[in-house]
Amino acid sequence: MLFKESYQKCTPITMYLQRLNNYSIKGKVPINWKGKIKYIAIGVAFLYLVAVFFSLLRSVIGSQDPNIQETTNRIVKIPLWSLVPLVIGPILEEILFRKIVLKKLIVRIGTIWSVLLSSFLFSILHLDIFLFPYFINSVIYSILYLKTNDLKVPILAHIIYNFTALTLMFI
């Protein structure tokens, strides 16, 4: 048990989530847009690091992301379809998983478990057997939301990330 507790305290994500434990969105001092842009930039940088790491891992184990090929095929056939991953998806996902699920879970089970559970649900929604990149991205979106108390921040980070991923698919 001692090892498990010390291991949990050693992982950066767990350490950060422990700082957010019992975090209250109510009564939080508002952050100005300059601060929010800083959070978006930091969040997107972490999202890119996660993407690079898992892209390398996928290439080593020979796994392909089925969402990428499916999305690419749809956009080639119907260019207007690009609005789904670029705008509609990020907005709906952030409303569902941050504004509704995360906020309701925080009241019931606390911040850490709420972030983990809502992120797990987010990753399952993407229907990829390789869930972990979606899970980590969702944790990042959750942290952005909790730190800024503004749903526009994770939405913009999500849109920027998806735009970059979509652009790279066509290069």
Side-chain angles (χ1 to χ4, degrees):
M1 189 69 166
L2 179 62
F3 175 75
K4 182 180 177 188
E5 290 172 0
S6 63
Y7 173 74
Q8 287 176 339
K9 291 181 182 180
C10 291
T11 62
I13 290 174
T14 308
M15 288 172 47
Y16 193 78
L17 288 175
Q18 285 176 343
R19 286 183 55 208
L20 289 176
N21 201 19
N22 299 325
Y23 194 85
S24 173
I25 293 174
K26 294 178 183 175
K28 186 161 180 359
V29 177
I31 296 174
N32 63 21
W33 265 103
K34 185 178 178 183
K36 291 176 184 180
I37 291 170
K38 180 181 88 172
Y39 276 108
I40 292 169
I42 292 168
V44 169
F46 277 109
L47 292 167
Y48 290 159
L49 287 174
V50 169
V52 167
F53 175 78
F54 284 105
S55 292
L56 292 172
L57 184 60
R58 276 184 186 271
S59 67
V60 168
I61 63 173
S63 171
Q64 293 293 323
D65 185 346
N67 291 328
I68 290 175
Q69 191 59 44
E70 184 180 324
T71 302
T72 305
N73 291 341
R74 286 183 179 168
I75 291 171
V76 167
K77 290 177 186 173
I78 307 168
L80 196 58
W81 182 261
S82 61
L83 289 176
V84 173
L86 291 178
V87 180
I88 298 166
I91 291 171
L92 292 178
E93 288 174 354
E94 296 308 316
I95 289 170
L96 176 63
F97 291 103
R98 259 43 83 194
K99 184 80 171 174
I100 297 171
V101 175
L102 182 64
K103 279 181 88 171
K104 289 198 182 294
L105 285 174
I106 285 175
V107 174
R108 298 174 197 272
I109 61 175
T111 304
I112 293 174
W113 288 109
S114 299
V115 169
L116 296 176
L117 181 57
S118 66
S119 296
F120 179 70
L121 295 172
F122 176 86
S123 62
I124 288 173
L125 173 83
H126 286 83
L127 303 173
D128 184 357
I129 195 156
F130 204 61
L131 298 175
F132 209 64
Y134 296 104
F135 178 82
I136 298 296
N137 285 4
S138 182
V139 169
I140 293 168
Y141 299 137
S142 296
I143 290 170
L144 291 175
Y145 178 60
L146 291 172
K147 291 297 282 183
T148 63
N149 193 27
D150 188 348
L151 195 60
K152 291 184 291 286
V153 172
I155 288 173
L156 288 172
H158 199 151
I159 289 171
I160 291 167
Y161 175 77
N162 283 6
F163 176 79
T164 305
L166 191 64
T167 303
L168 291 175
M169 285 192 295
F170 287 99
I171 291 179

